[in-house]
Amino acid sequence: MTDADRRQNALEALRSFGIELPSWAFGNSGTRFKVFAQPGVPRDPFEKISDAAQVHRYTGAAPRVSLHIPWDLVDDFGKLAAHAADEGVRIGAINSNVFQDDDYKLGSLTHADPRVRAKAVAHHLQCLDVMRATGSQDLKIWLPDGLNYPGQDDIRGRQDRLAESLQQIYAALDPEHRIILEYKIFEPHFYTMDIPDWGTSLLHCLALGPQAMVVLDTGHHAPSTNIEFIVAQLLRVGRLGAFDFNSRFYADDDLMVGSADPFQLFRIMYEIVRADALRPDSGVNFMLDQCHNIEEKIPAQIRSVTNVQEATAKALLVDRDALHEAQRRGDVLGANAVLMDAYNTDVRPLLAELREGLGLAPDPHAAYAASGYARRIATERLGGAQAGWGA
Amino acid sequence: MTDADRRQNALEALRSFGIELPSWAFGNSGTRFKVFAQPGVPRDPFEKISDAAQVHRYTGAAPRVSLHIPWDLVDDFGKLAAHAADEGVRIGAINSNVFQDDDYKLGSLTHADPRVRAKAVAHHLQCLDVMRATGSQDLKIWLPDGLNYPGQDDIRGRQDRLAESLQQIYAALDPEHRIILEYKIFEPHFYTMDIPDWGTSLLHCLALGPQAMVVLDTGHHAPSTNIEFIVAQLLRVGRLGAFDFNSRFYADDDLMVGSADPFQLFRIMYEIVRADALRPDSGVNFMLDQCHNIEEKIPAQIRSVTNVQEATAKALLVDRDALHEAQRRGDVLGANAVLMDAYNTDVRPLLAELREGLGLAPDPHAAYAASGYARRIATERLGGAQAGWGA
Amino acid sequence: MTDADRRQNALEALRSFGIELPSWAFGNSGTRFKVFAQPGVPRDPFEKISDAAQVHRYTGAAPRVSLHIPWDLVDDFGKLAAHAADEGVRIGAINSNVFQDDDYKLGSLTHADPRVRAKAVAHHLQCLDVMRATGSQDLKIWLPDGLNYPGQDDIRGRQDRLAESLQQIYAALDPEHRIILEYKIFEPHFYTMDIPDWGTSLLHCLALGPQAMVVLDTGHHAPSTNIEFIVAQLLRVGRLGAFDFNSRFYADDDLMVGSADPFQLFRIMYEIVRADALRPDSGVNFMLDQCHNIEEKIPAQIRSVTNVQEATAKALLVDRDALHEAQRRGDVLGANAVLMDAYNTDVRPLLAELREGLGLAPDPHAAYAASGYARRIATERLGGAQAGWGA
Amino acid sequence: MTDADRRQNALEALRSFGIELPSWAFGNSGTRFKVFAQPGVPRDPFEKISDAAQVHRYTGAAPRVSLHIPWDLVDDFGKLAAHAADEGVRIGAINSNVFQDDDYKLGSLTHADPRVRAKAVAHHLQCLDVMRATGSQDLKIWLPDGLNYPGQDDIRGRQDRLAESLQQIYAALDPEHRIILEYKIFEPHFYTMDIPDWGTSLLHCLALGPQAMVVLDTGHHAPSTNIEFIVAQLLRVGRLGAFDFNSRFYADDDLMVGSADPFQLFRIMYEIVRADALRPDSGVNFMLDQCHNIEEKIPAQIRSVTNVQEATAKALLVDRDALHEAQRRGDVLGANAVLMDAYNTDVRPLLAELREGLGLAPDPHAAYAASGYARRIATERLGGAQAGWGA
C-alpha cells in the first residue's frame, strides 16, 4: 500500500469515526478544594445537549452524548431525545450514580447491608428505563465502592455481593442492552476499590455473560501501567466495551485527552486500528470523560475530539506492512522507526481535508470561537442553578 | 543502657511530646464526589476547639489546635483563645487559604496578575494579625498554586513571582513568628504545582531567612519516595519546621496517620529521635492534617494520636548503641534486626502506663466512647450549618 | 473464641505451615552494576540444598527447595533428591529459565520465530522430566519475554503465540503436575512484558485448564497496587497457585520478605487465613524468591521465614468474630481496630513456643549463628566456581 | 517574529547544539538477568571512540565522548585524545566508578569505614588526572551508595560523610574543573540512595561552591515526577550542570531518549530554550546515558541524537510572544495550543535542511546504514574481549 493509499484509507476511516461526549463535561467541576463556576454553564440537560451539539457542529465527529442519572433526569426523556435530534446529536450511554446518596457512604452494590444493595440495584433498573426511553444501549457502571481502611470490610465478601448485585441488573437487560463495567484503582476510596483493575472487571463480565463488557478509563490505572497492552488484551478476548478518554499526570486527573501524553494516545489508537476496532460496529464506544476545571468547557471538548482524531489519524498512517516485516525479522530499531514515522507526521492538514469534505471549517477551534456561541450563552443563561456534579 | 533505662527514657520523652490537631478535621470533609455529613459535627470554631479538646482530654498528648483562615475566622480571637484555655488546649499554627476565592483559579502568590498576588499577600498579612491575636507563632502556607496544562503559564516566572510574594509576607513577620512552607506533588493542579517538592520549599526558605522552615506532609510525595530520608536531610540542615501527619496508599489520601504503613511512621519517628528533635524546643511542630470522610472524627483523631505515640515509643526503644555498633561493623542483618526488635515490640502497655502516670484512663478509645460526648453533641448540635472545607 | 483459643489455633496452624526456599537464594546475586561474592557460597546444587536445609533445621518451617533449570541441572536427579532427603528437606517447584540463552534476546514462548518458540517449549518439556525425576509437581514459569520499544513487535500477536506455546507445554503435563504462571510488570523489558499483570496470567490459565494456576510475586506490581486484593480475588476464583515472597520499595527489589512493609505482608496473610488457604492441601505454594545481594544468605533466609511466620501468626490471631461483627454494623474504626490489635501483638513469644514444641531452639537466628556452619562453609568451600544466576 | 524567522533562528541554534555521547553505550550492556553480546562491539576505548565518531559523522551533532574510569583507562591518554581528534571528536566528561570494587559493597564516599572513603576519594583524584591528560573539564559523579534495609546504616551520618568526602575532591579541582553531581532515586540500592533527589544533590553543590553543579538523569526520578519543573528550577538557581538523557517507562530503563515520552522531552527542551541555555557557553552539558541491550548500538545512538534534535527544534519553534501573551491573559487553552502547535510540527524537513547545510546527508540513519561500517566492524573485531560494564 502506498502512502497515498494509506492517506485515503485514513480519511475514509475517520469519516465514520465518532466520539461520544459526556453531558457532565459541560457543567461545573472541580477538585475537593474548590469548584470554580464559569459563565454560560448549562442549567439543565437540554442546555448540556445544546452545548455538546456545538462540539459536533464544528468537528463532525461527536454525534452522541452520554447522560448521567440522576444528574440528567428529566420528566420527559422523549422530549430530551427529540431535542438532541434537533441539535443533530443523539443520546448515548446512560451512566448510573451510586456515590452521592448518604446510604452509599460505605458502598452500594457491595454494601454489607442487603437493603442498600437492593436500593443500588433498583437505581440501575431505573437507568434501564431511561435507556428504553432514550434508545440508549449502554448502561455504564462506574462503581465508586471501596474501602478506606484495612479491615473496614471483607474484601472477598464484597466481591461475592458485587457478583450477585450485577447478576440482578444483568437479568433485567433487554437483548440489545449492554452493561459496560468500569474499573478504577482508587478514589473515592483509598485503601482498595471493589473494581480496581481490568482483571476484576473482566472476571465479573465473564461471569455475567456476553452482554457485559469492560470500560477502560485512561486515567484509572496505577502509575506506569501500559494501557495499550490492556487495550490489546481486552480486544483479543472480545470484551473491550468502551473507553473513557482523558489524560493524567498523577491520578485520575481528568485532563483533556492527549494533553499529557499524546504518544500514549497514539499507541492506544494503534492497537484499535490493528484490531480493526475503529469501525462503528466494532462494539467499542469511544467516549470522553473529563473535567474542565479551569478551562472553557466547549472549546476543551473540541480540543479533546481533535486530539483523539489526530492520534487516530497517525495510527491509521502506520505502514503496517513495513512494520510487520521489521517485526518479523527482529529489527528492533527498524520496527520502532516505522511506528515513529507515523507519529511524527503532522496530520493537521489531513484532518482539515477531512472536515472540508464534510462541509465543515478546517479549523474547528477558530470556527467555534468565531461563532459567538460562548458570548451568547454567557449572556442568556442567567438565573437558575448551574449544572455540576450534584445535578 | 539497659532495656529498663530505655523504657524509662521513652516514658519521659513521651510525657512532653505533644501533637497538634487541625480544627478542620472535626468538620465535614470528603472527595470531589461527595461530602458525607456526620451527626454532631461542629458549627463554628468554638465547637471545633471543644471537640479537639476531647482528644487531649483522653490522650494527654494533643495540647494545641491549628486554625484555618478564613474557615475559623471569628469576631473575637481573644475569646476563642480563652475558650481554648478553658478547654485545656491552646491555639497553634494559623493556616492561610488561597484556594477558595474565584480570583485564585489560576494562582495566588504566583498569579500572573499583580493584583491577585497582592490580594493573596494581604490575606497572609491578615493571618499574621490572627497570630498576634491568638498567640500563635506559625504561619503555615500550603500553596495550592499550580498548572493543569503544559504551557498554561511560565513555570520559571511563577517561581520568581512566588519568591517576591513570600518576601513580602516574610518582611511582615514579628521576631517570634515563623513561616512554615509546605510542598505537595499534585492536587489541586495536575501538571505541576508551584511548590511540588522539598527542594523547592527549602530553596524558598533559604532565600527568605532563618524564620522560614519546611513543612513535610507525609501524603504529598511521589509514589515510593523515602520520606524518612527527607526528614533526616531537613533536620540536618536545620529546616524541618513541621509535619502534617496522615497516611496514604495512592495520593494525598489524608487517611489516619499510621493506618497505611505503620513501619514507615516508625522509621520517620526514628529519624526524629536520632536527631533529638522530639523535645518541645526542637522547632518541629508535629501536626495532624487528615480527613475523616467516612469514620467518626473525634475517635479518628484519638486513634491518630495514639498511632503517632506508638510509633514514637518504638523509635525511643531502639537500642541505639547496639544499632550503631552493628552499623559500624557493616552487619547488615544485625543492624536491621536491632531496628526491627524495637518495631516488633508491643508498646501498648508502655503507653497505658504513660497515661496512668498522667492521671488518664489507660485506653483513651474506650474512655472517650464511655464518656457520652458523641451522643451529646449529636443531640445538642441541631440547627446551624455544619463546618466543612468551605467554612 | 477466646484469645487463648485463637492462640492455640494459631500454634496448630503454624505447625503445618511450610515455606519453600529457592536454591538460587544461596548463590551469588546482584544488580546489573555488580555481583558481590560472599565467602562459603555453594558451588553446586548439592551445596545449595545443604544450605537450604540449614534454614529448615533452625526454623522447622522450610521443608522444600525450589530448583532452577538449567542452573540446578545435575546428572542424577535421584541422587539430588536423596541428598535433600538426607538433609531433611525435599525438592519443590521446578523453575524454567528462558532468559539466558542468546536465542531468547527478543522472546522465548512469544518469539516471532517459530524455531525459537519450539526451543523454549522443549526446554519446558525438559523441566517436566526433571519434575518426574525429583517428584516435583509444580512447573513454575516466569516469562521474561517482553518489548523495550513501541512497535518492536506486535503486542497482540505475542499473546496468541504465548497461548499456543503454553498449550503445548500444558499438553505434556502429568495428571499430578501443575503449571504455575507468574506475571511481572517490568524487567528485563521496559516497554511491556508479555505477562505484565495478574489478569493476563489468569486469562492464560483459564484457557489452559484446571492444572494451570497463577503465581503472585509480591515485587511484580505497579507502585501502589493493593496486593491483598489480588490475593483475595485469585483465591475466590480458585487460581492462586503460589507466592513468590519478597519485599520492594521501588521495583522488583527482591529484598527479604517483610522487610519493607510488614503490615502489607500481614494483610496478605490475613486474606490467606480468611480463605482457609494456609492448610497444606490448599494448593497455594508459599515460596520465597529473593536476592541477598549484600547480606549473608542463610541468615537472610532464616529472617525471611521468621518474618512470614510472624505475619501469619498475627493474621491467625485476628478476632474474626469481632471483625465480622464490626464490619456488619459499618463500624469503620472498630473494624480497623480489631485488625490492628492483632497486628500490634508481639508474636515472637508465640513463635518461640512453636519452635520449642518442635524441639527447636526458640531463636533460630542465634541458634544458626552459634552452629559454626557459616565458618565451616567459608573454610571448606574453596576452589570451584560459586553458584550465581548463570549457574 | 514570523514563522520564517523562528525557523531561521532554530536552524542557527541547532547548528551549534552538540550532544555528548557515552563511551559505554557502544559496549555491551544488559540487565541483571543477561547481557546479550552484539557483533562488532568495541574491545577497547579507541574502538569505542571510533564508533562514537560515526554518530557525529552522520549527525554533525555529537562532537564529544564521555569516558568512564576505570572502564576506559588507557596507558596514554594523550594518544586517546589524539585518536579522538583524528576521528573528529574530543573527550568530554570523565565519569568515576565506585560500584564495581568489592570494597564498595556498603558504600564508597559514604562508607562507615574511613579507609574505604579515602580509597573512593583517591579514585576521584585519579579521575582528575585523567581530566588533566585529556583536557576534560567535567568530573561526573554518580554515587551508587545507598542502603537496602532500614537500619543498615545511619542515613544522616552518611550525609555528613558524603559532604566531607566531596569536599576533599572539590579541594583538588583545577580552576576550570567542575564536579557535576548526579542523583538517582534507587538502584543499585533499594531502601534509600545517599543522593536520591535533586534537592540532596543541590544541597551538596551549594555547600561545595560554584564549581559544583547538578546532573539531571531523566530516568532517575520517582514515577510521575515533573522533570521540566526541576530543569527550570535548577536553571533558575544557576546549578544545572548537565543532563544524562535517556527514556524510561518504569525505572532507570535507560532506553533511547525520546522513545518513551517524546512530549516530555520537548517540554524539557522548551525550558532550556526559555532559559537561553541551549547555547554552548550556558554551562549545561547535554549528554546521553543509555543502554542498548537489544538494539544495535551505533544506530541507536544516532536515533537518540536525532530524537533530541527533533524535540529541540520543536522547542525552538514555539511562538514565545504568542505564548507569553496567552499566559498573561490567563487563556489556558490558548496558551496550551501555542505550545502544542510547535510540538505537532513535523520538524524532520528542518533537520534535513540543517544537515545539508553542514554538508551531511539529510537522513543520518540511511547514510550510516549505507556506509558499511557495521559490517566492517563485525568482520574486523574478532578476538579480544568485547567492552561492557566491567571494562
Side-chain angles (χ1 to χ4, degrees), chain B residues 86-105:
Chain B
D86 287 349
E87 293 276 24
V89 296
R90 60 195 168 82
I91 307 293
I94 301 301
N95 291 254
S96 64
N97 177 320
V98 285
F99 54 85
Q100 293 191 317
D101 187 299
D102 284 334
D103 271 343
Y104 299 141
K105 186 165 81 164

Tab-separated table of all heavy atoms in Angstrom, chain B residues 86-105:
chain	number	residue	atom	x	y	z
B	86	ASP	N	-9.951	27.411	78.449
B	86	ASP	CA	-10.961	26.779	79.314
B	86	ASP	C	-11.058	25.282	79.052
B	86	ASP	O	-11.300	24.486	79.964
B	86	ASP	CB	-12.355	27.400	79.035
B	86	ASP	CG	-12.463	28.800	79.597
B	86	ASP	OD1	-11.567	29.212	80.378
B	86	ASP	OD2	-13.436	29.491	79.249
B	87	GLU	N	-10.874	24.934	77.799
B	87	GLU	CA	-10.996	23.520	77.431
B	87	GLU	C	-9.685	22.775	77.651
B	87	GLU	O	-9.598	21.565	77.411
B	87	GLU	CB	-11.408	23.391	75.953
B	87	GLU	CG	-12.815	23.902	75.653
B	87	GLU	CD	-13.882	22.840	75.940
B	87	GLU	OE1	-13.626	21.934	76.765
B	87	GLU	OE2	-14.953	22.911	75.316
B	88	GLY	N	-8.642	23.506	78.051
B	88	GLY	CA	-7.383	22.830	78.349
B	88	GLY	C	-6.412	22.756	77.190
B	88	GLY	O	-5.421	22.021	77.254
B	89	VAL	N	-6.681	23.490	76.125
B	89	VAL	CA	-5.774	23.478	74.965
B	89	VAL	C	-5.431	24.922	74.582
B	89	VAL	O	-5.906	25.861	75.208
B	89	VAL	CB	-6.414	22.748	73.751
B	89	VAL	CG1	-6.654	21.272	74.089
B	89	VAL	CG2	-7.717	23.423	73.322
B	90	ARG	N	-4.597	25.064	73.559
B	90	ARG	CA	-4.332	26.404	73.070
B	90	ARG	C	-4.233	26.435	71.547
B	90	ARG	O	-4.160	25.395	70.912
B	90	ARG	CB	-3.076	26.998	73.718
B	90	ARG	CG	-1.814	26.232	73.491
B	90	ARG	CD	-0.715	26.705	74.477
B	90	ARG	NE	0.394	25.788	74.465
B	90	ARG	CZ	1.373	25.790	73.547
B	90	ARG	NH1	1.385	26.701	72.591
B	90	ARG	NH2	2.350	24.902	73.606
B	91	ILE	N	-4.237	27.646	71.004
B	91	ILE	CA	-4.219	27.811	69.552
B	91	ILE	C	-2.805	27.566	69.038
B	91	ILE	O	-1.834	28.071	69.596
B	91	ILE	CB	-4.658	29.245	69.160
B	91	ILE	CG1	-6.004	29.600	69.798
B	91	ILE	CG2	-4.698	29.398	67.640
B	91	ILE	CD1	-7.167	28.813	69.305
B	92	GLY	N	-2.709	26.792	67.971
B	92	GLY	CA	-1.413	26.514	67.377
B	92	GLY	C	-1.197	27.299	66.096
B	92	GLY	O	-1.430	28.510	66.062
B	93	ALA	N	-0.800	26.606	65.064
B	93	ALA	CA	-0.467	27.265	63.803
B	93	ALA	C	-1.705	27.852	63.131
B	93	ALA	O	-2.814	27.340	63.277
B	93	ALA	CB	0.203	26.267	62.861
B	94	ILE	N	-1.469	28.923	62.388
B	94	ILE	CA	-2.533	29.538	61.586
B	94	ILE	C	-2.279	29.171	60.126
B	94	ILE	O	-1.206	29.432	59.580
B	94	ILE	CB	-2.514	31.071	61.761
B	94	ILE	CG1	-2.711	31.436	63.237
B	94	ILE	CG2	-3.568	31.720	60.870
B	94	ILE	CD1	-3.998	30.927	63.865
B	95	ASN	N	-3.292	28.554	59.518
B	95	ASN	CA	-3.205	28.148	58.126
B	95	ASN	C	-3.894	29.154	57.224
B	95	ASN	O	-5.065	29.478	57.445
B	95	ASN	CB	-3.906	26.791	57.928
B	95	ASN	CG	-3.160	25.653	58.590
B	95	ASN	OD1	-2.528	24.861	57.926
B	95	ASN	ND2	-3.224	25.575	59.917
B	96	SER	N	-3.204	29.631	56.242
B	96	SER	CA	-3.834	30.509	55.261
B	96	SER	C	-4.596	29.663	54.242
B	96	SER	O	-4.418	28.453	54.168
B	96	SER	CB	-2.773	31.342	54.552
B	96	SER	OG	-1.912	30.503	53.811
B	97	ASN	N	-5.435	30.322	53.475
B	97	ASN	CA	-6.245	29.626	52.469
B	97	ASN	C	-6.349	30.501	51.226
B	97	ASN	O	-7.014	31.531	51.236
B	97	ASN	CB	-7.645	29.340	53.046
B	97	ASN	CG	-8.568	28.684	52.032
B	97	ASN	OD1	-8.558	29.041	50.854
B	97	ASN	ND2	-9.370	27.740	52.484
B	98	VAL	N	-5.690	30.066	50.189
B	98	VAL	CA	-5.786	30.800	48.920
B	98	VAL	C	-6.294	29.888	47.811
B	98	VAL	O	-5.857	29.968	46.667
B	98	VAL	CB	-4.424	31.433	48.537
B	98	VAL	CG1	-4.167	32.654	49.405
B	98	VAL	CG2	-3.283	30.432	48.659
B	99	PHE	N	-7.228	29.016	48.179
B	99	PHE	CA	-7.752	28.118	47.146
B	99	PHE	C	-9.269	28.158	47.004
B	99	PHE	O	-9.828	27.379	46.265
B	99	PHE	CB	-7.283	26.675	47.360
B	99	PHE	CG	-7.557	26.085	48.716
B	99	PHE	CD1	-8.787	25.497	49.001
B	99	PHE	CD2	-6.583	26.096	49.708
B	99	PHE	CE1	-9.033	24.922	50.237
B	99	PHE	CE2	-6.829	25.523	50.946
B	99	PHE	CZ	-8.059	24.941	51.216
B	100	GLN	N	-9.917	29.072	47.700
B	100	GLN	CA	-11.386	29.045	47.590
B	100	GLN	C	-11.989	30.359	47.142
B	100	GLN	O	-13.200	30.541	47.220
B	100	GLN	CB	-11.986	28.577	48.915
B	100	GLN	CG	-11.637	27.105	49.171
B	100	GLN	CD	-12.396	26.508	50.319
B	100	GLN	OE1	-12.551	27.140	51.349
B	100	GLN	NE2	-12.893	25.302	50.135
B	101	ASP	N	-11.177	31.237	46.679
B	101	ASP	CA	-11.680	32.502	46.154
B	101	ASP	C	-11.573	32.435	44.635
B	101	ASP	O	-10.571	31.958	44.092
B	101	ASP	CB	-10.804	33.637	46.717
B	101	ASP	CG	-11.337	35.005	46.360
B	101	ASP	OD1	-11.420	35.319	45.140
B	101	ASP	OD2	-11.656	35.776	47.272
B	102	ASP	N	-12.602	32.908	43.954
B	102	ASP	CA	-12.604	32.816	42.488
B	102	ASP	C	-11.378	33.470	41.864
B	102	ASP	O	-10.905	33.037	40.805
B	102	ASP	CB	-13.881	33.457	41.928
B	102	ASP	CG	-15.092	32.553	42.117
B	102	ASP	OD1	-14.910	31.326	42.200
B	102	ASP	OD2	-16.218	33.076	42.197
B	103	ASP	N	-10.855	34.478	42.527
B	103	ASP	CA	-9.666	35.147	41.982
B	103	ASP	C	-8.474	34.205	41.860
B	103	ASP	O	-7.533	34.477	41.104
B	103	ASP	CB	-9.253	36.306	42.894
B	103	ASP	CG	-9.958	37.603	42.509
B	103	ASP	OD1	-10.484	37.679	41.383
B	103	ASP	OD2	-9.994	38.525	43.339
B	104	TYR	N	-8.480	33.140	42.654
B	104	TYR	CA	-7.292	32.279	42.703
B	104	TYR	C	-7.367	31.091	41.742
B	104	TYR	O	-6.611	30.135	41.880
B	104	TYR	CB	-7.083	31.770	44.140
B	104	TYR	CG	-6.856	32.873	45.154
B	104	TYR	CD1	-7.408	32.804	46.431
B	104	TYR	CD2	-6.090	33.998	44.842
B	104	TYR	CE1	-7.198	33.803	47.376
B	104	TYR	CE2	-5.882	35.015	45.779
B	104	TYR	CZ	-6.444	34.906	47.039
B	104	TYR	OH	-6.237	35.907	47.960
B	105	LYS	N	-8.270	31.147	40.801
B	105	LYS	CA	-8.434	30.000	39.900
B	105	LYS	C	-7.122	29.634	39.214
B	105	LYS	O	-6.813	28.454	39.040
B	105	LYS	CB	-9.507	30.304	38.845
B	105	LYS	CG	-9.830	29.125	37.959
B	105	LYS	CD	-11.115	29.295	37.167
B	105	LYS	CE	-10.899	30.138	35.929
B	105	LYS	NZ	-12.026	29.984	34.971
